Amino acid sequence: MTTTPQHNWPMVRLGDVLQEFTARPTPEQQAGTILTLTEKNGFMRQEDRFNKRLALENTSKYKVIRRGEFALNPYLLWAGAIALNTRFEEGIISPLYPTFRVSPSASAGYLNHLFKTEAMISRFDQIAFGSVPRKRRTRVPDFLSLQIPLPPLEEQHRIAEILDAAISSRSSITERLTTLSQLKHDVFSSMFLAKPRVTTTIGEYLESTQYGTSAKANESTGIPILRMGNITYGGDVDLAQLKYIDMSSQDRVKYSLREGDLLFNRTNSKDLVGKTAVFPHLDGEYTFAGYLVRCRVNDTATPEYVAGFLNSPAGKTLLRNKAKAIVGMANINAKELASTPIPVAVLPEQQEFSRIVRSIDKVSNALRQQLQLADDLVLSLNIRAFQGKL
């Protein structure tokens, strides 16, 4: 906690409010929903997370978890991999995941919010052991020995309800952003992919291409540099986790970015290679890293049209088939990008699509500002809640 707690709640061991249990699936349950546990999104269907089944055919040794029960991943608890099952009435999970029931003296919702705080994740990190940082594990007895503040049950429920409401508000904003992102793809498909068209190559729409700088970035000084992680799968520029770079005046010109530039992710995993974003209007100077290619369109195209195609299901399929595997990564160079087929669209059509995209982006940007406020509110409420200040 960042400041001294202002409560007189008793401190109890997690073992006083959580009881480990093991429930093996019946033959009927073995055919049920297979769940996986994630650090940020809690329980998910395994097929939704990995796009395939990873579980063994014989799941008789797996564990059953029902709504209202907890599980943790002992190999990723240090990163926050503990979750309350709130989405599924019942599922089966890996036998490696310890499972827990909540005692009547505690609120599962209260514990779930407490486990997601930075202070608690820091304590999870402290009890993990192992010589390889990202492969450390946690023993259940060490987890259950941790002490937590436990207010009266009524207060636990009140805290959980307030935090649930704040997170629900935040989630509604993220859902609207997801809907708007999908809307751009749907509009593109409706305008340009609904009927067969003559194709040309992307190179016919490009004025120039430029690979990004390979110079080493740092945490704080110089020009902000966009890397492949700053390009989202949906085709937006994400300014989170920026790094910086010192550059000569010559390189600042060579690797400059201006509004309307296309940023194409040339090297990534097979599923992510080819992510493309249109660089928006931003104050200040930005540059880009070597796994990105800057493309500038000529006067027969709009950047939104080219990006719209590359980010469409049809465009992504073409890119995945074109990508070359290099030591576990996939690569598409600038020449291969330029040779990729794209439907022919006259400039007025492209401009109409660009106007629609900009209108959607305007709404999305307003929602992102709301999302930042919602994030700040959730963080503030979390801190205050467990200090007894709500």
Side-chain angles (χ1 to χ4, degrees), residues 283-311:
D283 293 332
E285 191 175 2
Y286 286 81
T287 188
F288 60 107
Y291 282 165
L292 300 177
V293 180
R294 183 194 68 204
C295 305
R296 288 177 172 162
V297 299
N298 57 33
D299 57 9
T300 66
T302 68
E304 291 81 9
Y305 173 70
V306 177
F309 174 72
L310 292 173
N311 289 321

Side-chain angles (χ1 to χ4, degrees), residues 140-158:
V140 169
D142 294 335
F143 167 70
L144 293 177
S145 70
L146 292 174
Q147 291 203 335
I148 63 165
L150 193 70
L153 188 58
E154 184 177 343
E155 178 68 3
Q156 293 179 50
H157 288 314
R158 188 180 76 89

Side-chain angles (χ1 to χ4, degrees), residues 90-362:
E90 183 178 272
I92 57 175
I93 60 174
S94 166
L96 296 176
Y97 294 166
T99 48
F100 305 90
R101 293 191 177 112
V102 182
S103 75
S105 64
S107 158
Y110 171 83
L111 294 176
N112 192 42
H113 288 298
L114 178 64
F115 291 157
K116 299 306 179 186
T117 62
E118 289 185 10
M120 207 65 206
I121 293 175
S122 175
R123 294 170 69 191
F124 294 155
D125 184 68
Q126 291 169 11
I127 61 172
F129 68 93
S131 57
V132 180
R134 295 191 61 82
K135 294 185 178 180
R136 293 173 296 148
R137 64 182 292 264
T138 302
R139 299 184 183 95
V140 169
D142 294 335
F143 167 70
L144 293 177
S145 70
L146 292 174
Q147 291 203 335
I148 63 165
L150 193 70
L153 188 58
E154 184 177 343
E155 178 68 3
Q156 293 179 50
H157 288 314
R158 188 180 76 89
I159 289 171
E161 287 172 3
I162 291 172
L163 296 178
D164 282 344
I167 290 172
S168 176
S169 175
R170 183 193 184 283
S171 296
S172 69
I173 299 172
T174 59
E175 288 170 4
R176 289 164 68 189
L177 283 168
T178 300
T179 299
L180 288 172
S181 179
Q182 183 59 45
L183 179 60
K184 289 195 285 189
H185 302 319
D186 292 345
V187 170
F188 185 91
S189 295
S190 175
M191 290 183 66
F192 303 110
L193 300 178
K195 297 178 181 179
R197 286 178 177 248
V198 175
T199 62
T200 184
T201 61
I202 287 177
E204 291 298 313
Y205 287 140
L206 299 183
E207 175 186 282
S208 66
T209 58
Q210 173 63 55
Y211 289 94
T213 176
S214 59
K216 187 174 178 60
N218 67 81
E219 298 293 334
S220 58
T221 62
I223 302 168
I225 182 169
L226 299 182
R227 299 168 296 151
M228 62 182 182
N230 297 113
I231 309 301
T232 72
Y233 186 78
D236 293 312
V237 172
D238 181 355
L239 298 180
Q241 299 181 336
L242 279 176
K243 290 199 172 183
Y244 299 83
I245 190 169
D246 294 310
M247 306 182 83
S248 67
S249 57
Q250 182 178 358
D251 280 349
R252 289 171 71 165
V253 173
K254 181 178 181 180
Y255 301 114
S256 64
L257 286 173
R258 66 191 188 202
E259 183 178 2
D261 282 345
L262 288 168
L263 288 169
F264 175 81
N265 181 199
R266 68 181 180 91
T267 302
N268 208 320
S269 68
K270 188 84 169 178
D271 290 333
L272 296 179
V273 69
K275 296 184 298 179
T276 306
V278 179
F279 187 71
H281 172 75
L282 293 173
D283 293 332
E285 191 175 2
Y286 286 81
T287 188
F288 60 107
Y291 282 165
L292 300 177
V293 180
R294 183 194 68 204
C295 305
R296 288 177 172 162
V297 299
N298 57 33
D299 57 9
T300 66
T302 68
E304 291 81 9
Y305 173 70
V306 177
F309 174 72
L310 292 173
N311 289 321
S312 71
K316 288 184 181 295
T317 298
L318 280 174
L319 293 172
R320 277 196 297 269
N321 292 336
K322 188 181 283 284
K324 297 177 180 177
I326 302 176
V327 194
M329 300 289 277
N331 182 73
I332 302 170
N333 63 37
K335 185 176 180 180
E336 291 164 337
L337 169 63
S339 68
T340 301
I342 185 174
V344 171
V346 296
L347 190 57
E349 285 182 297
Q350 296 186 41
Q351 290 170 335
E352 175 60 22
F353 175 69
S354 295
R355 281 191 290 272
I356 294 171
V357 167
R358 289 169 190 152
S359 296
I360 294 172
D361 285 345
K362 185 176 181 179

